[in-house]
Amino acid sequence: MIERQETKQRMSRIVKHNGTIYLCGQVCADATKDITEQTQTMLDKVDLLLEQAGSSREHMLSATIYIKDMKDFAEMNAVWDAWVPEGYAPARACVEASMARDALLVEISVIAAEK
């Protein structure tokens, strides 16, 4: 069975299937901020969605990070490293990518297991 939450025409914010949770891409709360703030508020959104879906950071399986410019890689990673619980790092990819809006500096897509 597939469960979709907060579904609109283009996407669902959360999709659950066989104990696996798929989150749609998450971006920052305020695109006028720097990479550090954008990364932190993006990850805050991930926390909320994981909780809503019955999961947590400790249950992340995979994360794909899209960063507008690799010059921000180290600063983004500093926030990421502080956010991921020690010993629970997911499989991860990070790629430089064009963003849907010019002011966005980072986006993440997460797959997690249910608790």
Side-chain angles (χ1 to χ4, degrees):
M1 183 170 142
I2 299 172
E3 177 188 341
R4 300 173 199 282
Q5 296 179 19
E6 298 184 44
T7 300
K8 298 182 178 161
Q9 180 180 357
R10 187 166 291 144
M11 67 182 171
S12 297
R13 290 193 67 189
I14 298 168
V15 175
K16 296 168 77 172
H17 179 254
N18 287 341
T20 303
I21 298 161
Y22 304 85
L23 302 183
C24 69
Q26 295 301 302
V27 296
C28 64
D30 183 350
T32 66
K33 303 296 183 181
D34 66 9
I35 188 67
T36 299
E37 182 71 19
Q38 285 198 28
T39 302
Q40 185 60 61
T41 61
M42 171 189 77
L43 295 174
D44 292 344
K45 287 180 170 183
V46 170
D47 275 332
L48 291 172
L49 288 174
L50 287 173
E51 182 179 330
Q52 179 180 332
S55 190
S56 68
R57 294 179 206 176
E58 291 84 358
H59 291 80
M60 285 190 301
L61 303 171
S62 175
T64 303
I65 300 171
Y66 306 92
I67 191 167
K68 184 176 182 176
D69 192 323
M70 281 296 178
K71 73 175 176 52
D72 293 326
F73 187 69
E75 289 176 274
M76 180 276 298
N77 270 331
V79 177
W80 171 264
D81 291 345
W83 181 78
V84 175
E86 187 174 338
Y88 293 94
R92 189 186 107 163
C94 184
V95 297
E96 187 174 81
S98 297
M99 297 294 169
R101 291 182 285 141
D102 194 51
L104 294 173
L105 303 177
V106 64
E107 181 173 347
I108 191 169
S109 180
V110 170
I111 299 170
E114 286 184 292
K115 288 183 183 178

